[in-house]
Each structure stands twice: as C-alpha cells, then as structure tokens.
C-alpha cells in the first residue's frame, strides 16, 4: 500500500504557521514512508475563497520546499461527485430527505437551549413518509446515522477517543440548495484521492466522528487519523496578528530562511531526543507520529530567530548574496556588479553576525553605497580633526600592499605602531570611514572585500 497524505487548506485566509506545520508533518510522513504528499484546496466556500489566497498557499508551500507530488485538487470542481455520493446514500436508504424549514430548525434549537440540552436535530423526518412533504420546501439530505453504539477512533496522536452515536444528530450532507456540506465533501475527496493518513489540527477532531459515520455508511475503508495539537502564542492564547507575523510569507519578508522555519515548526510539537538542528534529510529519516506531543505548543520567536541564525551561518554565500541584493534593491539602493562581488567576498564574515536576512541586509548595505556615505552618529564621532588626517596618512600604507587580508592586517599593525597608537585607535576610525558605522566584520576582511579603489575613495571622502 502506498502511503498517501494530503494538506487540505481552505483558501479563505492566509497560510499561517499552524497550516504550514500541518503541511510539513504530512510531507515528512509521506516521504518517510516513500509515499505521496498531495494538496487539496478546499474552496467550496465560494463567498470567502479567493484566488489570491490560493496563490499564497501555493507560493508558501513552494517557498517552504513542500511542493505536492501532484497538481492540486480543487474541491469546488468535484461537486458533482459529492452530490452523486449523497444521492447514492439516499437511494440505499442510508440518508433521507428532511423538509424542515429554517424556522422549524431555529425553534428546535431554541427549545433545546431553553431546556439546557445540546442543540441537535431531533430526527423528525428520519422515518416520516416523504408523501407528507410540505409544498414548495426543498429538502436537505441528512445521513441516517446509527442511533446506538459509539464511534471509536484510534488516533495516532491522541490515542483512543470515543463518542456515543447518541450524542450526534443526523448531519446534513446535501443542503436544500443542492450543495454538499464541507464534512461530506472532505470524506468523498479523501476516499477518491486514496488518502491513507489524515494528519490535521486537533480542532478537527469532532468532525472526524461525523466523517467516520459517512465512511461507514458508504462501506469505505477509513484512513488512519492523526490530530495534532494547535500552535499558540507565547502567552498561551490562540495565535493571532498581535503575536507578530502570522502569514508564512511575512516570515519570508522578515528574513527567515524556509529551512529554519521548517526546522523550528517541526521541533514545535515533535521531538526526537535533544536533536535541535535537523536537515530535511534527517527530518524525513526520523519523522514518525510517535514523536508528536499531545499538548498545544507555544510559538517562541526568540527560539526561531536563534535557529534562523544557525541556518544562516550554514547557508551558501552566493544564495545569501542574491537574497540580500534583492532586499537592498527593494530598499531603493542600486547594486552594481562590483558591489555584488564585495558582498560575496565579505559574506562569510557578515553572516556570522546576523540572525535574519533583514539584519544581514542592514549590515551589508554599506558595501552597495557610494561615497559620500551616510554616517551613524557614533561613527561620525570617531572621525575627528585627529583621526581624519591619520586616515590620510594610512592610505598609502594600505595601497602599498597586495590588498589581501593578511597583508592589510600586517600593514595596519605596522602603521599603528609607527604612530604610537593602539590597533583599535586606528581600526575604529577606519571602520567608520569605510562603513559609516561602528560594526562590521574584521577590518582586514572588510578592506579586502571593498578593494583598493573603493577604499581609497572612501578614505579620501573623509580625509580630504
Ligand atoms: N480545510 C480545513 C482547514 O483548512 C482542513 C480540513 C482537513 O484537513 O480535513 O482547516
């Protein structure tokens, strides 16, 4: 049997991190078992589903490296099949037509609430003769669910969960306007897509019991279910906008790497000993549902940022350079070919000091700027009537080298000694002149990355 999982988002909002983690777990589970990971866009709520939201889902999954193995299935395009199954259940006497008017249903609900009972449909059309149907009322189709016994679910994360059939009413599978309900459509689709494992948020647990009733009525083999706990904010409340970035693509904008985010989301709610930093290959190898905890996990941005810094240091310099370049361009800077080369040369030093691509962009911007540079106040304060001429004297000593880091380092040391200054007293004003700030990678590497001509231009711009 081929293991087949699916991610089934509704395109009514953003692809948020909870959804991304569900997708990741489905992806890893399928890969671990050499199976397939599918995507189904649940766009049956036509009023709230947007093409833009679909695109965000596709782009988000792509960015995270969770591309499905087959083109997405659009639930809205399968309506005829959902109707067919509902009619089959009706024909087999496993479903029935309910002619209740909205007013009757409201009255039923209000009475139940007044009597402190759960509001449930009372089954009044279950065994009633359809010949008694009122004029002009279009019926809904309801599942004739078992009255006795219970539904027992062996959930792969939650363990055994039972619900008595008596606690569930006869659900509508086809509305009176002829459209299938969500619960029904999901079962038909999961069956037709040969899904073997449904891994989704535990907010769907109650739906599962109703869906099992449909599987049983159709005599279909049920998939395994795994309901994973939700992600909460650091304060324990349901994750929302006020907790910071919520949409997956906002994390991209803020400079998180997709592999860091996946690594973080995996560790959030799944564990394998102390393993913290896991590559995609390791994740696939190690991922099983046994490692998924039952408690809600809390989103911790500090931890994510720390992990992102670790991934950043491992990342390929050229890839980082290209990303930073895009961000600089977006910020309005022109990035010349020479600036790109400088960026690439200094990347090993720059990435050591940054935790996000945003930080990396800020610390890289000086490489793309042209003289005169903007100076941070602390840097401006280092350029005095004493240090400016000193930099003027330093320039020929630097120019006399082959402009490699070791030679530049040696020249700086010799110059400081000859001037009777400490190395820092030379290096700090020099850094200010070259970068406009007080922080950069090692001064020798910074000099080498900028190159002789640019160093000369920058020193002359301040030393006169
Ligand atoms: N469409 C549902 C959602 O976005 C998921 C349904 C499922 O996984 O069965 O929450």
């Amino acid at each position: 049997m081929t293991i087949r999982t699916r991610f089934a988002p509704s395109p009514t909002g953003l692809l948020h991190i909870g959804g991304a983690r569900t997708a990741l777990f489905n992806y890893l589970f399928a890969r671990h078992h050499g199976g397939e990971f599918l995507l189904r866009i649940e766009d049956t709520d036509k009023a709230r589903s947007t093409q833009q939201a679909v695109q965000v889902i596709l782009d988000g999954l792509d960015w995270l490296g969770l591309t499905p193995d087959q083109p997405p299935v659009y639930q809205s395009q399968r309506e005829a099949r959902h109707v067919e199954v509902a009619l089959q259940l009706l024909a087999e006497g496993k479903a029935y037509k309910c002619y209740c008017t909205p007013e009757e249903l409201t009255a039923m609900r209000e009475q139940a609430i007044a009597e402190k009972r759960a509001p449930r449909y009372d089954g009044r059309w279950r065994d009633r003769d359809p010949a008694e149907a009122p004029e002009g009322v279009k019926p809904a189709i309801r599942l004739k669910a078992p009255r006795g016994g219970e539904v027992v679910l062996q959930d792969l994360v939650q363990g055994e969960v039972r619900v008595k059939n008596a606690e569930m009413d006869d659900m509508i599978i086809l509305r009176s306007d002829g459209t299938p309900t969500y619960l029904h459509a999901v079962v038909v689709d999961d069956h037709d897509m040969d899904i073997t494992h449904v891994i989704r948020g535990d907010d769907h647990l109650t739906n599962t019991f109703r869906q099992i009733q449909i599987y049983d009525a159709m005599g279909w083999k049920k998939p395994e279910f795994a309901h994973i706990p939700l992600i909460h904010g650091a304060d324990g409340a349901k994750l929302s906008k006020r907790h910071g970035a919520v949409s997956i693509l906002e994390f991209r904008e803020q400079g998180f790497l997709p592999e860091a985010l996946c690594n973080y989301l995996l560790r959030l709610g799944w564990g394998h000993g102390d393993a913290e930093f896991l590559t995609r290959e390791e994740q696939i190898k190690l991922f099983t549902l046994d490692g998924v905890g039952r408690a809600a996990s809390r989103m911790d941005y500090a931890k994510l940022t720390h992990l992102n810094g670790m991934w950043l240091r491992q990342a390929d310099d050229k890839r980082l350079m290209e990303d930073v370049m895009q961000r600089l361009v977006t910020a309005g800077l022109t990035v010349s070919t020479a600036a790109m080369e400088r960026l690439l040369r200094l990347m090993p030093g720059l990435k050591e000091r940054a935790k996000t691509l945003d930080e990396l962009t800020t610390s890289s911007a000086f490489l793309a700027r042209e003289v005169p540079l903007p100076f941070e106040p602390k840097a401006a304060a280092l350029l005095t009537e004493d240090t400016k001429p000193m930099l003027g004297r330093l320039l020929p000593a630097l120019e006399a080298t082959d402009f490699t880091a070791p030679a530049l380092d040696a020249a700086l040391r010799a110059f400081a000694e000859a001037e009777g200054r400490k190395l820092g007293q030379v290096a700090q004003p020099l850094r200010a002149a070259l970068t406009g700030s007080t922080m950069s990678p090692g001064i020798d590497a910074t000099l080498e990355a900028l190159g002789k001509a640019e160093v000369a231009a920058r020193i002359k711009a301040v030393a006169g």
Side-chain angles (χ1 to χ4, degrees), residues 1-7 20-38 66 69 155-157 194-200 223-226 228 266 270 280-292:
M1 179 186 67
T2 306
I3 298 289
R4 210 169 267 122
T5 63
R6 77 340 184 243
F7 176 48
R21 192 184 58 164
T22 301
L24 176 68
F25 283 13
N26 276 287
Y27 173 93
L28 294 177
F29 187 81
R31 285 285 171 280
H32 179 85
H33 292 284
E36 274 194 316
F37 167 65
L38 307 183
L66 304 175
D69 294 313
D155 190 275
L156 297 178
V157 170
D194 286 330
I195 299 301
T196 60
H197 292 74
V198 170
I199 304 170
R200 60 187 172 194
E224 298 283 347
F225 290 95
I228 58 181
L266 173 63
W270 175 89
R280 182 56 63 81
E281 289 68 37
E282 289 166 330
Q283 294 172 13
I284 291 171
K285 197 163 144 242
L286 297 174
F287 187 79
T288 62
L289 291 167
D290 303 341
V292 179

Side-chain angles (χ1 to χ4, degrees), residues 368-385:
R369 292 193 197 280
E370 312 232 324
V371 285
L373 301 183
F375 289 97
E376 288 172 9
K378 275 192 190 160
L382 289 168
L383 299 169
T384 63
E385 291 319 307

Side-chain angles (χ1 to χ4, degrees), residues 246-274:
V246 178
S247 150
I248 276 308
L249 296 177
E250 273 177 63
F251 285 90
R252 178 169 69 179
E253 273 162 40
Q254 291 179 2
F256 290 96
L257 295 172
E259 54 269 47
L261 192 56
C262 282
N263 191 163
Y264 177 73
L265 289 177
L266 173 63
R267 293 289 291 107
L268 199 61
W270 175 89
H272 182 84
D274 294 333

Side-chain angles (χ1 to χ4, degrees), residues 63 252 255-260 308-329 335 339-365 367:
W63 178 63
R252 178 169 69 179
F256 290 96
L257 295 172
E259 54 269 47
N308 199 59
M310 286 170 69
W311 275 99
L312 207 66
R313 287 191 279 285
Q314 305 262 329
D316 175 63
D317 291 343
K318 186 151 178 289
R319 166 184 169 202
L320 293 178
M321 183 272 281
E322 280 163 3
D323 195 296
V324 165
M325 191 185 73
Q326 283 303 327
R327 286 168 193 268
L328 289 172
V329 170
V335 186
M340 278 164 59
E341 280 163 14
R342 287 175 211 148
L343 249 173
L344 190 57
R345 262 181 293 186
L346 200 54
M347 197 49 83
L350 289 165
K351 70 183 182 184
E352 283 299 319
R353 288 166 178 76
K355 293 203 188 68
T356 64
L357 288 165
D358 245 13
E359 279 181 29
L360 190 62
T361 305
T362 306
S363 61
S364 302
L367 291 166

